Amino acid sequence: MKVGLKENVLIVDDNPANVILLKDLLEYEDYNVTTAKNGLEALDLILYSLPEVILLDIMMPEMDGYEVLDHLMSNEETKYIPVIVVSAKTDESDVKLALDKGAVDYIKKPINNVELIARVRSALRLKRTQDQLRLQNEELIRQNLKLERSEQIILTLISAIEAKSPYLEGHSKNVAKIALKIAAYFDISNKDKQLLKQSAYLHDIGKIGTPDGILNKPGKLTPEEFDEIKKHAEMGAKILEPLEKFQQVKNIVRHHHEKLNGTGYPDGIKGEEIDLLTRIISVADVYDALSSRRSYREKLPLDTIKNIFNEEVNKGWWDKEVVNALFKIIG
């Protein structure tokens, strides 16, 4: 079935056979396709017309794909173009380097036609959502949007996160629902409940910068990949930094992976340094993750979840009163 979007795709590859294969495949899906035989030619083409997505080979004469990525990511006009590396280099170090340099995805040759089209569509969906998000942020900064527009902004931000992975769909809303139920067992003002809801919706906004391949990896993450995941808390706070109405939310977003014994991230704060709202978000986040299907496992049984929480409370990770409130909710 043809997409019919007429979006512009740039193929950068020095192998004519590969170019013909990709071009025919994408044009059949009704994309506008431009080609370049090396990195220098690609950068010249991009000066005249920005593509919506780039399919980039690594091994090319004059300028390889890694150098092209460096140029694209250092330019304000091109750094938001999603780049999918399509390469015969299959070593995991090559994949990691490409993702570290800003590629959103990595496809190893020989390609699977169905997989390639699916990943192009995913990259384009993400770009449309990110473009919308940037427009919202620019509008917010220019006009200092009033509080009543916050809900609309939140929904846009949530859609940007959930577009990256099927396993994130509905997660933020679930965390908000659980957090508000936990909050009912504490003396929390209506204002703080609203703050709790906003923070729950936005707690994973930093994952907008996490590579899709890591978010959707079916197996165990490597230490390097887990370090990449951990960046989302700090990145989320940076995204919210310019938004005047979300400064309290920003702090909760930054600290929702901190632990009471100081072994969390990104700042290693502990004890009373972690406020009650952040403690509630943390527990609600962990519960929804454990009780939901993920790329690397099925959802866990309730008894297993309770045992995990009891063990982690004993380790000094979570607030015991908050976990007890959670147990009252889940039975």
Side-chain angles (χ1 to χ4, degrees), residues 302-317:
L302 182 57
D303 287 342
T304 301
I305 294 173
K306 287 185 175 181
N307 288 337
I308 290 172
F309 268 110
N310 284 328
E311 290 174 6
E312 292 179 349
V313 166
N314 290 335
K315 289 179 182 178
W317 289 12

Side-chain angles (χ1 to χ4, degrees), residues 103-117:
V104 300
D105 208 344
Y106 195 108
I107 300 175
K108 298 174 184 178
K109 297 177 182 176
I111 65 169
N112 177 292
N113 293 356
V114 174
E115 179 186 12
L116 182 130
I117 291 300

Side-chain angles (χ1 to χ4, degrees), residues 68-303:
V68 174
L69 280 168
D70 288 337
H71 279 277
L72 292 173
M73 297 306 144
S74 65
N75 187 311
E76 192 67 29
E77 290 189 1
T78 60
K79 69 179 182 180
Y80 297 112
I81 301 173
V83 179
I84 301 174
V85 170
V86 184
S87 176
K89 294 171 76 68
T90 59
D91 192 89
E92 289 304 312
S93 63
D94 295 310
V95 177
K96 181 179 183 301
L97 180 58
L99 296 176
D100 285 346
K101 285 182 174 290
V104 300
D105 208 344
Y106 195 108
I107 300 175
K108 298 174 184 178
K109 297 177 182 176
I111 65 169
N112 177 292
N113 293 356
V114 174
E115 179 186 12
L116 182 130
I117 291 300
R119 295 201 185 187
V120 169
R121 288 175 182 169
S122 176
L124 287 167
R125 283 197 303 270
L126 177 60
K127 183 179 186 300
R128 289 193 293 269
T129 307
Q130 289 177 320
D131 287 346
Q132 184 181 9
L133 175 61
R134 282 193 294 274
L135 288 173
Q136 288 280 358
N137 286 346
E138 290 168 5
E139 182 70 10
L140 181 60
I141 294 169
R142 282 195 301 267
Q143 298 185 17
N144 190 19
L145 292 177
K146 296 181 181 179
L147 187 58
E148 57 265 24
R149 295 193 60 185
S150 297
E151 194 70 20
Q152 179 184 351
I153 298 166
I154 289 170
L155 293 174
T156 302
L157 295 170
I158 293 169
S159 68
I161 305 165
E162 296 184 350
K164 293 178 66 65
S165 170
Y167 304 103
L168 294 175
E169 187 174 358
H171 172 63
S172 296
K173 292 180 182 178
N174 290 341
V175 171
K177 187 184 299 183
I178 296 163
L180 288 171
K181 288 181 178 179
I182 293 174
Y185 290 87
F186 297 89
D187 185 18
I188 292 177
S189 68
N190 288 333
K191 181 179 178 180
D192 279 347
K193 287 178 182 177
Q194 181 65 20
L195 176 59
L196 188 69
K197 181 180 178 181
Q198 291 177 339
S199 301
Y201 278 152
L202 295 172
H203 74 283
D204 273 345
I205 184 59
K207 286 183 179 177
I208 195 72
T210 306
D212 295 17
I214 294 178
L215 287 177
N216 298 312
K217 183 177 179 179
K220 184 178 179 180
L221 296 178
T222 64
E224 294 79 11
E225 289 169 337
F226 185 59
D227 285 340
E228 190 67 29
I229 285 278
K230 287 166 66 175
K231 293 178 183 177
H232 80 274
E234 189 172 1
M235 178 61 69
K238 287 181 179 178
I239 290 172
L240 296 173
E241 178 66 38
L243 312 183
E244 184 179 336
K245 303 296 183 183
F246 292 102
Q247 292 310 293
Q248 289 179 283
V249 173
K250 177 197 72 176
N251 294 329
I252 296 174
V253 167
R254 182 180 180 91
H255 294 140
H256 75 279
H257 280 291
E258 302 287 0
K259 296 170 183 174
L260 292 182
N261 66 354
T263 61
Y265 61 86
D267 300 316
I269 60 175
K270 61 184 179 179
E272 295 304 315
E273 294 176 291
I274 306 171
D275 62 63
L276 177 59
L277 298 187
T278 304
R279 298 181 189 198
I280 292 173
I281 293 289
S282 299
V283 169
D285 182 31
V286 172
Y287 172 74
D288 188 66
L290 294 175
S291 62
S292 302
R293 182 172 176 267
R294 289 293 182 261
S295 60
Y296 51 90
R297 61 153 172 79
E298 295 297 323
K299 67 179 183 180
L300 300 179
L302 182 57
D303 287 342

